[in-house]
Amino acid sequence: MKLNGIISVVLLALLTSCGNKGGQATEEVPADSLLNDSLRADSLQALVEDYPMPKAADELFDDFVYNFVVNRKLQMERIHFPLSYQKDGKVQQLKKEQWKPEHFFMRQGYYTLLFDSEKHMEIVKDTSVNHAVVEKIHFDTHSVEQFVFDRMRGAWMLMKVCTIPISQDVNASFLSFYHQFVTDKTFQGNSLAETVQFVGPDPDDDFNMMEGIITPDTWEAFAPQLPKKMIYNIIYGQPKKEGNSKIFVMRGIANGLELEMTFKRMSGNWKLVKLTT
C-alpha cells in the first residue's frame, strides 16, 4: 500500500504512535497505553482532516482506505447513508448519527491479506477495480464482518456492512485451517510439507536475500508469531471460488514487519510449502 502527499507524513506519525513500536505483531494494545495513544491519534487526526484527500487516492482502493480510516470527516462523506447493516438475519438502516468511526487495522501495527497466487497479488495495483470488501475475520465468534465498497462515478463509497458465518466466506476452508494452525502446535507441525522453502534477508548482506529449506524438526526455530483472535482480509473485485493455493500475507505499518506464507492443498489438506520473511 502507498500514501500520498502531506497525509503520508501525518499518517506515518499517527501509525508510529498508535501501532506496535517493537516491530513484532501483537493482538492487543496494553490498557495503560490506550489513553495516551488515543490522545495522540486525536491530535494527529485533526491535522489530517485539514487536508483534502488527493483525487488520485480514488484510483487505488488501498490509497483510499488509508485516507478513509484516518480522516473522520472524509469517512462520513464516503458512507452511503442510511447504511444497510446486516447481522443475524436482520437488516438495519443506520443513520449518520449512529455510525461510529471505523479504524480497521490501523491501530494494531500490522495488517493481513489472503491471495490465491503471486500473480493474484498484483490486483492491488489494478486501477480498474471498482468493488472491494474489507473483512474482519473473528475466530472467537466464527464470523466475518464485511465492509462492502463500490467506486461510483470515480469515488469509493461504503455501501453496506454485513456479518456472515466463517463457513459462508469465500475462504472458508483455509480460514478454518488457519485457526487450527495457529492455535494447535501439534496440528501446525503436521501441516508442514516435507520440506518448506525459506526465503529471508541475508544476515551478512543487507541487499541480498538467502534461500534454504526448513524441515519439520527445525520448524520451531523459524515459526513466526501469528494472530489468533482476528485477522483482516481485503477482497479486490468480485470474489472467486476458493482454489488449492493460498498466500497469507502479514505486513507491518511503519514497523518493518513483512511475512508471506504459501500454502497448498494436498490430498484435501492444507500444507505450508514456503515461508518468506
Side-chain angles (χ1 to χ4, degrees):
M1 298 183 179
K2 60 182 180 178
L3 307 174
N4 293 285
I6 186 66
I7 291 181
S8 303
V9 179
V10 179
L11 180 54
L12 180 60
L14 170 62
L15 297 175
T16 303
S17 66
C18 295
N20 175 16
K21 302 167 185 64
Q24 295 293 321
T26 56
E27 297 217 54
E28 298 179 358
V29 179
D32 58 1
S33 72
L34 286 175
L35 179 59
N36 289 336
D37 281 351
S38 179
L39 291 173
R40 283 193 293 267
D42 289 343
S43 298
L44 291 166
Q45 198 163 38
L47 290 176
V48 172
E49 291 175 0
D50 287 336
Y51 295 90
M53 184 184 78
K55 290 184 178 180
D58 268 314
E59 292 183 5
L60 292 175
F61 182 73
D62 283 5
D63 288 345
F64 162 74
V65 78
Y66 265 112
N67 287 274
F68 180 85
V69 295
V70 300
N71 189 327
R72 285 177 294 193
K73 181 180 178 181
L74 173 70
Q75 187 168 134
M76 297 304 289
E77 293 172 351
R78 292 304 187 91
I79 299 175
H80 186 275
F81 290 110
L83 180 69
S84 176
Y85 184 86
Q86 304 174 26
K87 187 176 181 180
D88 299 328
K90 300 178 181 178
V91 180
Q92 293 179 276
Q93 298 297 323
L94 296 185
K95 298 179 181 179
K96 184 175 292 189
E97 57 270 21
Q98 294 175 294
W99 178 257
K100 295 181 181 179
E102 178 58 61
H103 299 288
F104 292 144
F105 40 75
M106 301 303 281
R107 297 195 180 206
Q108 67 181 22
Y110 67 94
Y111 62 96
T112 56
L113 296 169
L114 295 174
F115 296 101
D116 294 331
S117 64
E118 291 185 3
K119 183 179 179 180
H120 183 215
M121 294 172 71
E122 295 299 314
I123 196 171
V124 302
K125 303 175 184 177
D126 187 348
T127 57
S128 69
V129 171
N130 290 314
H131 178 82
V133 180
V134 178
E135 296 187 314
K136 276 186 178 180
I137 301 162
H138 302 272
F139 292 111
D140 55 346
T141 59
H142 306 286
S143 63
V144 180
E145 196 174 1
Q146 297 181 322
F147 297 77
V148 182
F149 292 84
D150 286 312
R151 186 161 57 177
M152 306 176 66
R153 294 183 292 276
W156 283 102
M157 298 287 295
L158 175 61
M159 303 302 294
K160 67 178 181 178
V161 180
C162 57
T163 300
I164 63 172
I166 285 181
S167 60
Q168 293 181 12
D169 191 84
V170 66
N171 294 306
S173 171
F174 180 79
L175 292 175
S176 177
F177 160 80
Y178 172 86
H179 187 229
Q180 190 170 0
F181 184 86
V182 298
T183 56
D184 186 335
K185 284 190 175 182
T186 300
F187 179 79
Q188 185 175 117
N190 293 332
S191 298
L192 306 176
E194 289 187 13
T195 56
V196 177
Q197 183 181 0
F198 173 76
V199 180
D202 188 336
D204 298 321
D205 187 343
D206 293 338
F207 298 99
N208 284 317
M209 303 291 283
M210 60 179 293
E211 297 185 16
I213 295 295
I214 303 172
T215 55
D217 58 311
T218 60
W219 169 247
E220 194 168 334
F222 293 88
Q225 181 181 353
L226 300 171
K228 300 177 181 179
K229 296 179 181 179
M230 182 184 71
I231 62 173
Y232 282 88
N233 184 39
I234 298 177
I235 299 173
Y236 301 86
Q238 296 300 326
K240 298 180 180 179
K241 185 178 179 180
E242 187 175 44
N244 292 318
S245 65
K246 198 68 61 181
I247 300 177
F248 173 83
V249 177
M250 185 161 68
R251 293 193 179 120
I253 302 175
N255 64 15
L257 176 68
E258 181 78 18
L259 175 75
E260 291 181 15
M261 302 178 74
T262 303
F263 297 85
K264 299 284 187 182
R265 186 150 42 186
M266 303 175 179
S267 302
N269 298 312
W270 289 101
K271 298 285 185 179
L272 176 66
V273 298
K274 183 178 180 181
L275 171 64
T276 304
T277 62

